[in-house]
Amino acid sequence: MPPRGDPGRGRGGAPRGGGRGTGGGLPAAASTALPGAHVQVVGVRRSGYGSAGRPITVSSNFFNITPPEGNIHHYDVISPSEKTLPARLNMDLVNHLMRVEAVDIFTPPAVYDGRKNMFAPRELRLGPNGSQEFNVSLSDDVNRVSPGENSGGRGPRIYKIRLTKVATINPEVLQSFIMGQQSHNNTVLTALTALNVVIRMEPTMKYPFNVRSFFTDRETKDIGSGIVLWRGYFQSVRPAIGRLLVNVDISMGTMYKAGPLTDLCLDFLGRPGQPQLLSPKRGMPDRERIRLQRFIAGIRITTTYTGQGVQKTPRVVKKLSSAGANSLSFTMRDGTTTTIAQYFRNILNRPLTFPDNICVEVGAGALIPVELCVVPKGQIMRKQVPPEKMKDILEFAMKNPHDRLASITNGLAVLAYGQSQYVREFGMHVDDTVGPINLPARVLPPPRMRYGQGSPQPVVNSRSRQLYASSSVRVDKRFFRPATIDRWIVVVYERQQHFTQQSAQDVINGLVQCCCDVGMRVNDTNPMVTWQNSQGRIADQLRQAGNECFQKTQQRPTLVVVILPDNANDIYTAVKHFGDVTVGVATQCMKSSKCYRAKAQYYANVCLKINVKLGGINTIPDPQSVSILTDPRNPTIVMGADVIHRAPGSEGRLSFTALVGNVDSDTAKYIATCRVQTSRKEIIEDLGEMAQHILGMYMKYRRNFEKKTSNIAPTRLIFFRNGVSKGQGQFEEVLDLELKALREACKRLNINPKITMIGIAKCHHVRFFTTNPGDADRSGNCPAGTVVDQVVAHPVEFNWYLLSHGGLSGTSRPAHYNVLYDDNNLQADGLQSLAFVLCHVCARSTRSVSIPAPVYYADIVCNRAKNHYDPQGGINLSDTATHTNTTGAESTLEAYKRNFKPLHTNMTTLMYFS
């Protein structure tokens, strides 16, 4: 969809503002140029640059790239009468076409994206109509190279490929665009797509690839369960202010372990070296077979029974047999019946070593014994990674800033832009000799945070927010509005031999002491403690414990503290459903391994959550630090919205949406609402109803609790939308549908706040590195508050990068902000400061977080949405269940909606999600 101009969104008129110059050799005027007033944008046109904060110089993982010297010729690639083919097969077919079938037409060679688009540096001779159909077979290509496969034919199958000329692109349009004199239209988008296809063509033909990344086996890690991690490289051409850049970053691919399929299966089951366990006769449980089938379905295998070593044509595994080769029979051409094991022994003279083991089904129902299958290397696993492997993945993926930058720089040798025939033929050049670019940044001052009465320092710098001083025994701050615990109980699901009465008493003493230290009142210092069987019905056990408490004290507990063993996700879900949905009582779970002999700081962190779950407020930003939010003449509501989808491979499943907003004047107390909607749909379907609920609660709180008599309704609505991407056309959809829903919600309430809508993205590959070691924090990262809105920012749109949190491990990732709509006419400094302050009001942390608190909360609410389903209700929320037909998916969605239980009314005004 081409961008549209809208004075309300683009704010029109003469651009305002100034800015600093830039490092990296580009003239300051080019780095801080503002787009022309005639330029149309999706969202808000940049009107200036921020100037607040301490200036520093950082480097970033971008490299300068020059656009092509000549025109780019764009072609559609169509495979008539063919279903959608894998991108790898498409690449092989087109590569064969260019290098074997029609060399005279494709000299020099074109580049191809694996789907629909081909770009050529010279016009292809396709006849007078600019279109031609080719017949392509891979069987005679002796030089064919396909990563992870042995070279060889795929058989005599012939594929039809039609090429049709679409357009000729003059690269000068990119020059006008990066200088802010050209609107972002389809021509610009296609030109950028072409450049990305050019730089990716060479590695795509050599290595396994996944959209914008490719992977090599130069650095790998076997993490068990049949999974091997490969180091990869991401690359993407980006328009920037006055220049074109290529963003290069390291990435990671999860691969199936290469070698005998038997070994892969046993590794996944955690039983290496025990092939007899793949026999249903010898006790292979059906549930394990189904779990294994989900893991390997779709994997390509080769076979070893042809008498020529490994058979070269890969075949795709569909499913696993429910019986062994000795028990599976089929009818041969002569009408006789034989088993799979007999066939291989008598007909192919290849007796099986494990004839009772299962088989894989490939193609049109052919069955092959597992022991005769081999897994070629380099196959990307597109399934959800087991949760227990996430620690290994994070260890492999994380690198400190110095090592990450070194790895990126070393990766340029793998990318080898200067040696790419395609890059040279298009007349492009990547300046990778001088290293990553340098650019100006600013470090915003941290906001001051206000704490409660009795604190030694009621107002403190946000960098000094630990509740306890360094001695770990002296309380340093008290909550701004501490809650009261009237009656509470402790329920332990760890065995009493491991978590004794004394252990439970230590937890009680630690919590009570910490609550008192931070200002909370605990009226019951000797709560009832009960041990429960984790195999029982959790809801019944918790209800019984609550009833016992009532019988003894004549009071219902207002807080249930639950001690969990490790790996107790099912118990946790049941506890939260019971507390948040069924009875409406605050619950606080703690792992026994964490709270056993815990120190005061641990209990302080637990109190952060308990206080807000009971209606308290931990801290608020000092009004002088964020005047946009605290102006009494302009009451402001801040909302955060998010959508979460199920794991890859679970098509047809539900998606969850969440909207979170503040109800108080200090933007510290938030409420949430959650829905279930169509699978994989990014736009929030029920946003109007959700926003109306939040807005109504905001006005009710101001009227009834804050006792406001005027300015009850908000005059400003700041809406942060998480997870939307311009590249997928989602900015336009958000503006068309979600902005409309917000306006309609306001209209139904007879209010008319001015709306500012900001998109936030964290799934990107932009990183910043300090050039002066003295500017780095203790982790070696750029300090919290680092903001970048020059050089690498968008040439016409109002965006910036903000690194709002201090680093702990690895390389910190900044959040990317895009202003999509702005009725409030806010300036760069004001919006950047607003976002930074909101990163400090997250109740569950004493540090600033990576994104504004309402968005941070919305992400949590989405992830907790499964708690709205009764654990005993029979709804399957596993990430492996799939629905492949539309009718089944629709009926399943309706079932999910029917069974989605609303929050208990007690919890609708509380931060139960903290």
Side-chain angles (χ1 to χ4, degrees), residues 279 365 547:
S279 167
N547 290 337

Side-chain angles (χ1 to χ4, degrees), residues 183-202:
S183 300
H184 190 288
N185 55 25
N186 283 335
T187 303
V188 172
L189 180 61
T190 305
L192 290 170
T193 299
L195 268 57
N196 276 302
V197 177
V198 171
I199 66 169
R200 293 172 189 158
M201 186 69 180
E202 187 86 21

Side-chain angles (χ1 to χ4, degrees), residues 517-755:
D517 288 346
V518 296
M520 297 176 66
R521 286 183 57 189
V522 182
N523 294 332
D524 177 12
T525 58
N526 187 30
M528 185 186 82
V529 183
T530 177
W531 276 259
Q532 297 291 344
N533 182 358
S534 60
Q535 303 301 315
R537 291 179 62 93
I538 306 301
D540 293 345
Q541 294 168 343
L542 295 177
R543 184 175 284 105
Q544 179 183 353
N547 290 337
E548 289 180 12
C549 176
F550 181 77
Q551 291 172 3
K552 291 180 179 179
T553 65
Q554 301 305 304
Q555 285 183 301
R556 299 284 182 188
T558 56
L559 172 68
V560 179
V561 174
V562 180
I563 309 298
L564 299 176
D566 290 337
N567 302 316
N569 292 335
D570 291 344
I571 304 177
Y572 175 86
T573 298
V575 168
K576 291 303 176 182
H577 180 81
F578 175 82
D580 298 344
V581 176
T582 305
V583 299
V585 62
T587 56
Q588 180 60 53
C589 295
M590 293 186 285
K591 283 187 176 181
S592 60
S593 58
K594 298 291 186 181
C595 63
Y596 179 70
R597 295 182 177 177
K599 295 183 179 179
Q601 189 60 57
Y602 172 83
Y603 293 116
N605 292 336
V606 173
C607 286
L608 290 172
K609 298 183 178 184
I610 292 177
N611 189 54
V612 295
K613 288 177 181 179
L614 295 176
I617 295 176
N618 295 345
T619 181
I620 65 171
D622 186 58
Q624 296 180 357
S625 294
V626 56
S627 57
I628 290 179
L629 296 177
T630 57
D631 182 358
R633 297 166 300 178
N634 290 292
T636 302
I637 184 170
V638 182
M639 294 184 180
D642 198 8
V643 180
I644 189 172
H645 309 294
R646 307 305 291 170
S650 53
E651 291 296 332
R653 297 296 310 282
L654 69 166
S655 294
F656 292 120
T657 63
L659 182 67
V660 174
N662 67 296
V663 292
D664 66 326
S665 300
D666 299 310
T667 62
K669 183 178 177 64
Y670 291 84
I671 62 171
T673 180
C674 184
R675 298 285 194 280
V676 57
Q677 71 174 30
T678 308
S679 173
R680 299 286 165 185
K681 185 172 183 179
E682 186 59 44
I683 296 302
I684 302 175
E685 294 175 337
D686 298 326
L687 181 62
E689 295 178 13
M690 299 164 76
Q692 184 175 345
H693 169 73
I694 298 289
L695 287 164
M697 295 294 284
Y698 172 87
M699 292 187 289
K700 183 178 180 181
Y701 187 89
R702 286 173 60 81
R703 184 185 300 110
N704 297 339
F705 189 86
E706 295 184 344
K707 306 300 182 183
K708 303 288 185 183
T709 57
S710 60
N711 289 337
I712 301 297
T715 60
R716 291 190 292 213
L717 193 165
I718 313 295
F719 183 84
F720 289 96
R721 179 61 161 88
N722 193 34
V724 289
S725 147
K726 178 179 181 180
Q728 300 178 24
Q730 292 168 349
F731 284 3
E732 292 95 330
E733 289 186 291
V734 167
L735 289 169
D736 287 341
L737 301 175
E738 295 189 356
L739 178 61
K740 179 182 177 182
L742 288 176
R743 285 172 166 164
E744 290 176 347
C746 295
K747 185 177 180 180
R748 289 193 292 269
L749 293 170
N750 295 316
I751 61 176
N752 188 30
K754 292 183 177 180
I755 299 175

Side-chain angles (χ1 to χ4, degrees), residues 17-137:
R20 291 180 169 79
T22 178
L26 192 72
S31 173
T32 58
L34 294 173
H38 65 283
V39 173
Q40 297 180 350
V41 300
V42 178
V44 176
R45 185 169 57 246
R46 183 182 299 280
S47 63
Y49 297 90
S51 59
R54 172 174 59 90
I56 63 171
T57 299
V58 299
S59 63
S60 187
N61 53 333
F62 286 91
F63 301 84
N64 288 304
I65 183 172
T66 59
E69 298 173 348
N71 289 340
I72 302 171
H73 303 274
H74 182 199
Y75 297 85
D76 261 351
V77 181
I78 303 174
S79 300
S81 72
E82 293 289 351
K83 63 180 181 180
T84 301
L85 300 175
R88 166 56 65 196
L89 177 56
N90 286 336
M91 294 295 298
D92 290 344
L93 288 168
V94 169
N95 188 51
H96 183 81
L97 170 65
M98 293 192 295
R99 299 190 180 276
V100 177
E101 301 282 357
V103 179
D104 54 333
I105 295 178
F106 294 96
T107 302
V111 296
Y112 174 52
D113 68 353
R115 292 301 178 197
K116 294 278 292 180
N117 297 297
M118 176 181 285
F119 301 97
R122 308 285 188 274
E123 187 166 9
L124 304 179
R125 298 189 299 276
L126 300 179
N129 297 325
S131 181
Q132 185 172 341
E133 188 172 290
F134 301 87
N135 294 326
V136 182
S137 173

Side-chain angles (χ1 to χ4, degrees), residues 144 146 148-150 152-154 299-303 311-317 362 374 376 379:
R144 174 171 166 257
S146 184
E149 299 173 9
N150 291 275
R154 290 180 182 264
I299 194 174
R300 288 178 292 115
I301 55 100
T302 54
T303 51
Q311 196 244 354
K312 296 178 173 60
T313 304
R315 311 180 79 173
V316 177
V317 173
V362 298
V374 175
Q379 294 191 65

Side-chain angles (χ1 to χ4, degrees), residues 318-338:
K318 291 186 173 181
K319 60 182 181 179
L320 296 174
S321 65
S322 57
N326 254 342
S327 304
L328 294 169
S329 302
F330 69 100
T331 302
M332 300 180 64
R333 293 180 181 177
D334 60 5
T336 60
T337 300
T338 186

